[in-house]
Amino acid sequence: AQKVTQAQTEISVVEKEDVTLDCVYETRDTTYYLFWYKQPPSGELVFLIRRNSFDEQNEISGRYSWNFQKSTSSFNFTITASQVVDSAVYFCALRFTGGGNKLTFGTGTQLKVEL
Amino acid sequence: EPEVTQTPSHQVTQMGQEVILRCVPISNHLYFYWYRQILGQKVEFLVSFYNNEISEKSEIFDDQFSVERPDGSNFTLKIRSTKLEDSAMYFCASERGGQRNQPQHFGDGTRLSIL
């Protein structure tokens, strides 16, 4: 079965702390695609980053970085020097080759960044 | 930057009534989706649409649901006879297509409340 697990329901940090959001996925496919989306309190879903299963390198984009470990089926997302505006629910999503084009979402992690 | 627009932002309807949710996808996108999110829960796939027909649907998308692209720009979701459990946020998404790692871009959602 294809599944995305975000074990952290809620994380609270103080502004300027780094925070890592965990995502573990299950798929039998050897080629698949992973995404992170942000849902701020206003409710919209905002695309953040994507990753192909065959990409070798982890990347950094501004304050965001991600760590893809195929051996442990994990796709963790880190925000460096968190800000209050980062407070949101973050969803990890999987698209697998045998699943059409749909996204399978995790249950989300509520991130609260406090002053 | 082009975006997906959804109307209305909030719809309140009596149980048993028909409701139509509207979406205008990004203009050069070819794949269209509806997802729903029951309050506090994860985002769930409903249906995908390509080349003027449904390409995939979930078990949630039963006979009460239908989708249409009536005029080449709008993409609608109709619920024929609403139930209390249809209360949720409904998201439309579109995708350019061509490569499996293309992100889906979401609208701001329509909050549907069934009384």
Side-chain angles (χ1 to χ4, degrees):
Chain A
Q2 325 294 330
K3 192 177 170 185
V4 177
T5 301
Q6 295 179 253
Q8 302 155 310
T9 309
E10 187 173 319
I11 301 176
S12 289
V13 299
V14 176
E15 206 176 33
K16 295 192 177 64
E17 284 184 4
D18 298 347
V19 57
T20 295
L21 310 179
D22 297 335
C23 173
V24 174
Y25 59 90
E26 293 174 34
T27 178
R28 288 191 210 93
D29 288 4
T30 54
T31 300
Y32 48 88
Y33 308 88
L34 294 158
F35 303 83
W36 277 95
Y37 283 83
K38 173 182 178 180
Q39 187 176 40
S42 46
E44 70 271 27
L45 279 167
V46 180
F47 164 69
L48 295 177
I49 58 169
R50 63 182 163 189
R51 185 59 187 242
N52 305 332
S53 59
F54 43 85
D55 285 342
E56 293 293 331
Q57 294 180 343
N58 290 307
E59 294 179 37
I60 297 174
S61 175
R63 294 189 299 111
Y64 298 157
S65 62
W66 46 101
N67 186 352
F68 174 53
Q69 295 284 340
K70 203 165 182 177
S71 59
T72 56
S73 298
S74 65
F75 182 50
N76 297 336
F77 175 63
T78 297
I79 303 173
T80 303
S82 58
Q83 300 173 2
V84 172
V85 293
D86 296 327
S87 297
V89 180
Y90 289 81
F91 289 98
C92 180
L94 166 71
R95 169 187 278 172
F96 53 98
T97 313
N101 282 337
K102 67 176 181 286
L103 293 174
T104 299
F105 284 83
T107 49
T109 297
Q110 169 84 60
L111 173 65
K112 293 185 180 175
V113 182
E114 296 162 336
L115 292 171
Chain B
E1 186 175 322
E3 57 184 28
V4 176
T5 56
Q6 289 185 243
T7 54
S9 56
H10 191 190
Q11 173 83 44
V12 182
T13 302
Q14 292 289 332
M15 188 172 60
Q17 295 295 306
E18 175 183 286
V19 66
I20 297 176
L21 310 183
R22 301 180 193 280
C23 170
V24 179
I26 295 173
S27 63
N28 62 346
H29 284 192
L30 300 177
Y31 292 81
F32 314 111
Y33 306 85
W34 284 99
Y35 291 81
R36 80 169 186 193
Q37 184 183 31
I38 294 172
L39 186 64
Q41 297 187 23
K42 69 177 176 180
V43 180
E44 300 174 291
F45 168 76
L46 291 178
V47 65
S48 59
F49 193 86
Y50 170 71
N51 203 24
N52 282 320
E53 60 183 26
I54 290 174
S55 46
E56 189 179 3
K57 59 184 180 180
S58 71
E59 61 267 19
I60 301 168
F61 194 88
D62 61 22
D63 292 345
Q64 293 301 312
F65 290 86
S66 62
V67 288
E68 202 175 37
R69 190 158 158 78
D71 56 13
S73 60
N74 290 286
F75 179 52
T76 62
L77 174 70
K78 181 160 73 174
I79 308 175
R80 233 178 304 279
S81 177
T82 50
K83 308 185 194 69
L84 292 176
E85 54 264 37
D86 293 327
S87 295
M89 180 77 98
Y90 287 80
F91 290 102
C92 173
S94 71
E95 176 193 334
R96 188 168 58 191
Q99 293 180 21
R100 297 297 299 268
N101 68 347
Q102 290 296 316
Q104 293 176 16
H105 295 273
F106 286 78
D108 288 351
T110 292
R111 182 167 299 284
L112 178 62
S113 300
I114 307 300
L115 304 178

